[in-house]
């Protein structure tokens, strides 16, 4: 492994930082520059959809190195007419084979359903699911349509394993009546708890839009070939969080594969949004209706500061959330709320900025979102998990903060 790629495996190191470190140590010779160019090639190929026709090979800066036995990130056999990331294609083959397969195994429907009356498309969905022969089916569409709720009412939940990529989604499965629940990560790392799941022949996976192709491939490989999968998610949500800037996380696009090669039911009606204006706004936003979003006055504030002040009145994460386009803007927003919410507190971790990123800014009671936490899966926290700071400590390492 080259110096450049070895350094990129260090948490918080991106290409710019690595290039600066190598330059300062006078190690940016010809070979290292080729390796840094290969990093750019990986990013370019990911942004292009991870597959390019060979006619566009000129877009690569270091293709021979990418195809070499030393790196091997892209295929060296171009007879297919395409250049692609080899790791991605291995997982995709596994998933694509699974979603194309049919089965005679019947889903564990309840003989009698009490205290549940399906609404509109929900009844159509139930009939569709009863007659669908595919081994893997997808339930996609707008949040609030009752996808998880319906399954909790029509299936024998004691005969189902229900999985999710975060513990918040896992708790939602419990709330909807599922008795055997766990995280997707626990299966991927083959924990003792996950071993007990293998005897179950129906697996539900919630929040599938947050899953990578590799995670789905691990699930398929873990369970027996006759296991049925029901994948639930909102196909208009953001894709999985991955470290694309260091070009080492190859995620693939699971949702696109399900839409292209799989079979599924698309839910349209948002029963969770009781407000008619909110339902209309969500529908236009999901349809990427730029004209509507420019013209509507719904949910708009006159200034950036007004938006921050409005959020101050609705601090709960489930009530209002601010999304930003850049890390620099995220840092500005976090600094604003840290300054206001921590005012007068003695025990804090100061907020600082390192380049375009915000660092620190913690106090007892602060609501946080974990990122790349507990990669060993020993403590159960996962990426995008919500949490609350209960105690603070500051490490002795310069520039590092220890919070828990």
């Amino acid at each position: 492994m080259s110096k450049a790629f070895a350094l990129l495996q260090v948490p918080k190191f991106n290409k710019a930082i690595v290039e600066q470190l190598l330059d300062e140590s006078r190690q940016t010779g010809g070979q290292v520059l080729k390796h840094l160019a290969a990093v750019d090639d990986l990013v370019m190929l990911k942004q292009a959809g991870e597959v390019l026709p060979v006619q566009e090979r000129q877009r690569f800066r270091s293709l021979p190195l990418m195809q070499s036995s030393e790196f091997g990130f892209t295929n060296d056999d171009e007879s297919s007419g395409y250049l692609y990331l080899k790791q991605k294609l291995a997982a995709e083959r596994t998933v694509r084979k699974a979603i194309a397969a049919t089965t005679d195994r019947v889903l564990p429907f309840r003989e009698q359903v009490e205290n549940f009356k399906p609404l509109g498309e929900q009844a159509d969905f139930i009939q569709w699911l009863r007659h669908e022969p595919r081994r893997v089916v997808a339930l996609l569409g707008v949040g609030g349509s009752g996808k998880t709720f319906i399954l909790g009412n029509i299936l024998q939940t004691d005969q189902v394993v229900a999985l999710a990529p975060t513990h918040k989604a896992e708790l939602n499965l419990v709330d909807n009546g599922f008795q055997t629940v766990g995280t997707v990560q626990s299966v991927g790392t083959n924990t003792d708890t996950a071993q007990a799941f293998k005897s179950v022949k129906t697996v539900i996976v919630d929040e599938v839009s947050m899953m990578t192709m590799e995670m789905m491939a691990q699930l398929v490989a873990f369970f027996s070939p006759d296991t049925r999968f029901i994948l639930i998610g909102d196909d208009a949500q953001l894709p999985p969080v991955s470290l694309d800037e260091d070009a080492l996380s190859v995620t693939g696009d699971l949702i696109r594969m399900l839409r292209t090669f799989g079979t599924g039911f698309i839910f349209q009606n948002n029963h969770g949004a009781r407000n008619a204006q909110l339902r209309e706004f969500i529908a236009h936003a999901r349809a990427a209706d730029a004209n509507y979003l420019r013209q509507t006055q719904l949910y708009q504030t006159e200034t950036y500061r007004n938006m921050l002040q409005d959020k101050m009145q609705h601090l709960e994460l489930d009530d209002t959330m601010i999304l930003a386009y850049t890390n620099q803007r995220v840092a500005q927003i976090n600094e604003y709320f840290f300054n206001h919410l921590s005012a007068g507190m003695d025990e804090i971790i100061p907020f600082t900025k390192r380049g375009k990123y915000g660092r620190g800014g913690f106090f007892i009671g602060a609501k946080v979102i974990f990122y790349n936490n507990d990669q060993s899966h020993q403590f159960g926290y996962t990426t995008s998990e919500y949490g609350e700071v209960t105690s603070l400590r500051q490490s002795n390492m310069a520039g590092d903060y220890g919070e828990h």
Side-chain angles (χ1 to χ4, degrees), residues 56-75:
E56 297 186 33
R57 59 186 299 118
Q58 72 278 1
R59 296 178 62 178
F60 291 87
R61 296 176 56 198
S62 192
L63 183 57
L65 185 62
M66 295 275 286
Q67 295 176 319
S68 69
S69 58
E70 177 186 4
F71 277 28
F73 284 113
T74 60
N75 56 303

Side-chain angles (χ1 to χ4, degrees), residues 61-315:
R61 296 176 56 198
S62 192
L63 183 57
L65 185 62
M66 295 275 286
Q67 295 176 319
S68 69
S69 58
E70 177 186 4
F71 277 28
F73 284 113
T74 60
N75 56 303
D76 55 351
D77 180 0
E78 301 181 11
S79 59
S80 66
Y82 293 94
L83 297 165
Y84 52 81
L85 289 175
K86 291 167 70 174
Q87 180 184 352
K88 165 183 176 282
L89 266 291
E92 279 198 359
R93 281 195 221 65
T94 299
V95 175
R96 186 167 175 178
K97 181 179 179 181
I99 64 178
T102 57
T103 180
D104 293 329
R105 178 171 290 279
V106 178
L107 291 169
F109 286 97
R110 296 185 183 186
E111 293 184 4
Q112 291 184 331
V113 177
E114 299 178 355
N115 302 320
F116 169 65
K117 184 177 181 180
L119 303 173
E121 64 182 1
Q122 296 178 349
D124 296 336
F125 158 70
I126 294 171
Q127 290 302 313
W128 172 86
L129 185 62
R130 286 184 178 278
H131 298 93
E132 178 50 55
R134 290 282 189 103
R135 180 190 173 198
V136 179
V137 297
L139 317 184
L140 305 177
V142 62
S145 54
K147 298 182 288 291
T148 310
F149 174 73
I150 298 169
L151 293 177
N153 277 278
I154 66 174
L155 296 180
Q156 299 180 53
T157 54
D158 60 339
Q159 298 183 32
V160 174
V161 168
L163 303 174
T166 71
H167 280 282
K168 184 176 182 182
E170 184 185 3
L171 292 175
N172 181 57
L173 291 167
V174 174
D175 290 342
N176 280 282
F178 293 97
Q179 302 174 33
T180 305
V181 299
T183 62
V184 175
Q185 291 87 341
S186 69
V187 173
T189 53
N190 201 16
T191 64
D192 292 340
T193 301
Q195 287 297 318
F197 298 161
K198 282 194 170 182
S199 61
V200 180
K201 299 302 181 182
T202 301
V203 178
I204 289 174
V205 184
D206 204 358
E207 299 294 352
V208 69
S209 68
M210 298 179 66
M211 286 178 53
T212 65
M213 191 72 70
E214 283 69 31
M215 292 167 73
M216 186 63 210
Q218 288 173 341
L219 288 186
V220 171
F222 180 86
F223 289 96
S224 62
D226 60 342
T227 301
R228 294 195 66 171
F229 293 90
I230 302 177
L231 310 181
I232 311 170
D234 184 349
D235 51 323
Q237 287 184 359
L238 295 174
V241 176
S242 63
L243 303 180
D244 280 359
E245 65 179 350
D246 64 16
L248 291 176
S249 179
V250 182
T251 64
D253 191 339
L254 177 59
I255 290 292
R256 183 193 300 174
M257 174 168 282
L258 291 172
R259 285 196 301 242
T260 305
F261 302 107
T263 185
F265 191 96
I266 307 298
F267 287 82
Q268 305 287 346
N269 297 327
N270 186 343
H271 301 290
R274 304 299 177 114
N275 183 292
Q277 285 187 328
L278 177 58
R279 286 198 300 272
E280 180 184 10
F281 182 85
I282 291 174
H284 284 285
R286 288 176 57 84
D289 187 345
N291 288 331
Y292 171 88
L293 296 176
R294 277 194 297 266
Q295 295 172 10
T296 184
Q297 298 301 310
L298 293 174
Y299 311 110
Q300 293 194 19
T301 54
E302 293 183 4
T303 66
Y304 169 69
R305 181 163 292 276
N306 286 347
M307 178 190 70
L308 298 177
Q309 292 172 345
D310 187 60
K311 171 60 181 173
M312 283 291 294
Q313 305 303 315
H314 305 85
L315 289 176

